[in-house]
Amino acid sequence: MRLTVNGVEHELTLDPRTTLLDALREHLDLTGAKKGCDHGQCGACTVLLDGRRVNSCLVLLIAQAGAEVTTIEGLGTAAEPHPVQRAFLEHDGLQCGYCTPGQICSAVGVLDEAGRGWPSAVTTGDGEDLLSDAEIRERMSGNLCRCGAYPNIVPAIREAAGR
Ligand code: FES
Ligand code: FES
């Protein structure tokens, strides 16, 4: 099957049970997305699939023929980081960094979803800021950080939204 990852098309012949996460890490050498739980519980494996954030450990590759995937490696470079990456650096939004690629890919998805006006579980519909701290916490609640970097992650995302 064919899959485009970070703008590069790949032709893959793999076991049909292969997950998108394993295809990225084990077969395409893109180890930015992390395997935290392999059960859809931690968000460390988050990537963008056709522009929407997904837990790649729960996605069967075989169902995604022709899809476009963006991983943390495709968001920015060391010289030119993505605005969310820059904000995480400036706000010290990480400690060990294991959850960080997933946090950043998820945050990119959050900014897009809020920009489209998509509500979250805490949105009341009263014209509130869809990127308030409460909204950011709710929208990022699928991404766990065992180092507890949340107090810096929230302002980083708020600042990236402003940019
Ligand atoms: Fe995919 Fe934890 S590794 S959600
Ligand atoms: Fe260590 Fe989040 S920075 S798990």
Side-chain angles (χ1 to χ4, degrees), residues 21 34-45 55-58:
L21 178 61
K34 298 291 184 281
K35 186 178 283 190
C37 65
D38 212 16
H39 284 84
Q41 295 172 341
C42 73
C45 63
N55 288 337
S56 61
C57 70
L58 294 184

Side-chain angles (χ1 to χ4, degrees), residues 117-141:
W118 292 0
S120 77
V122 299
T123 306
T124 61
D126 292 335
E128 70 267 55
D129 177 7
L130 292 182
L131 288 168
S132 65
D133 285 2
E135 285 276 358
I136 290 172
R137 287 195 186 96
E138 169 58 27
R139 291 173 189 272
M140 292 294 294
S141 59

Side-chain angles (χ1 to χ4, degrees), residues 94-99 145-147:
L94 60 140
Q95 288 185 37
C96 76
Y98 196 81
C99 71
C145 174
R146 59 191 165 177
C147 296

Side-chain angles (χ1 to χ4, degrees), residues 68-112:
E68 296 205 8
V69 177
T70 303
T71 69
I72 189 73
E73 291 93 340
L75 281 182
T77 64
E80 281 188 59
H82 184 282
V84 176
Q85 290 173 313
R86 202 163 65 230
F88 267 66
L89 285 170
E90 290 170 1
H91 284 270
D92 218 7
L94 60 140
Q95 288 185 37
C96 76
Y98 196 81
C99 71
T100 311
Q103 299 276 3
I104 290 176
C105 285
S106 196
V108 171
V110 164
L111 299 185
D112 181 59

